[in-house]
Amino acid sequence: MDQIQQFLPFILIFVVMYFFMIRPQMQKAKKEKKFAEELKKGDRVVTKSGLHGKVFDFSEKNNAVIIETGSGKLTYDRSAISLEMSQKLNQPAADKK
């Protein structure tokens, strides 16, 4: 009983860290992976580096996306597409206020 009380604070700290830090990160990573897998031609996207463009094609061999921009076509890894910024870009104009 005494040994359990010694380790109880450490156990509680781990549980709190899991629910406030680790679990939300895992859920966010799942959402981003699902978003990258569901991309289709014509989707407007923003990369994590800030490049805006439209999905032109996919390179399954490299697990990449070919993005058409004003200056040409660029190839980016699927993981470089930002879920949050792409969702903001695709919001209807009325929601942006």
Side-chain angles (χ1 to χ4, degrees), residues 9 13 17 35 49 54 66 75 78 88 91 95 97:
I13 288 172
M17 282 180 53
F35 171 74
S49 62
K54 230 193 299 190
I66 300 170
T75 304
R78 282 183 187 250
K88 285 181 186 177
Q91 279 182 342
D95 291 347
K97 292 181 181 178

Side-chain angles (χ1 to χ4, degrees), residues 6 8 17 28 31 33 40 42-44 48 58 60-61 65-66 69 80 82 85-86 91 96:
Q6 279 182 322
L8 191 61
M17 282 180 53
K28 184 178 177 183
K31 281 183 186 178
K33 185 177 179 184
K40 57 191 178 297
D43 284 350
R44 293 172 41 194
K48 291 180 181 176
F58 299 95
E60 299 301 327
K61 183 175 86 173
V65 179
I66 300 170
T69 65
S82 171
M85 290 189 278
S86 295
Q91 279 182 342
K96 290 185 179 179

Side-chain angles (χ1 to χ4, degrees), residues 43-59:
D43 284 350
R44 293 172 41 194
V45 294
V46 180
T47 64
K48 291 180 181 176
S49 62
L51 178 84
H52 290 240
K54 230 193 299 190
V55 175
F56 179 74
D57 202 3
F58 299 95
S59 173

